[in-house]
Amino acid sequence: MVTNIALVAVGGFCGAISRFGLSNLIKGRYPTTFPFATLLINLAGSFLLGLIFGANIENTWRLLLGTGFMGAFTTFSTFKLENIQLHEKKHGKVLALYLTISYTCGILLAFLGMKLGSFFV
């Protein structure tokens, strides 16, 4: 049990640091109203999590990479906050595009990752 908690903690630390660095890099290069950083991170995370689970890897790696890293790398709370902010700033078209891309592509990329991961089994 303690080992599982440590795996999730280490993965979570690495995922959070990676998201922080990548998000700042993207925001610095592409300053815009559209939340590209969160979108790209969440889409990449959807694909990678699908890949991890599709490959049916050992539970130790699943805890480290799936639950820990991907759990901290992707961010549902920031996604929701950005939706509210876009709504409050009356950026309806940007909000609609963000929601559509996030949900549609996120689900498709997770599915694609799972299918691709199953080839590694």
Side-chain angles (χ1 to χ4, degrees):
M1 181 63 158
V2 173
T3 303
N4 290 349
I5 292 170
L7 287 167
V8 172
V10 169
F13 173 80
C14 294
I17 295 300
S18 297
R19 180 184 64 204
F20 177 76
L22 186 56
S23 180
N24 285 334
L25 179 72
I26 294 168
K27 288 176 183 177
R29 289 198 178 169
Y30 305 102
T32 178
T33 303
F34 192 88
F36 279 112
T38 304
L39 177 67
L40 293 175
I41 288 167
N42 284 343
L43 291 179
S46 295
F47 174 76
L48 293 171
L49 188 60
L51 191 67
I52 289 165
F53 277 82
N56 199 26
I57 62 175
E58 178 184 322
N59 191 51
T60 301
W61 288 104
R62 192 178 300 190
L63 287 170
L64 177 71
L65 299 174
T67 305
F69 188 89
M70 287 301 148
F73 183 68
T74 59
T75 174
F76 195 69
S77 55
T78 300
F79 169 66
K80 292 301 180 186
L81 178 63
E82 289 169 344
N83 284 304
I84 292 167
Q85 290 170 336
L86 288 169
H87 175 73
E88 287 178 346
K89 292 177 182 175
K90 309 239 186 286
H91 294 297
K93 290 180 182 177
V94 174
L95 173 60
L97 183 62
Y98 187 38
L99 285 167
T100 301
I101 293 171
S102 292
Y103 283 113
T104 305
C105 293
I107 291 168
L108 288 173
L109 285 168
F111 178 76
L112 179 62
M114 288 182 75
K115 290 298 180 187
L116 186 59
S118 69
F119 289 116
F120 297 110
V121 176

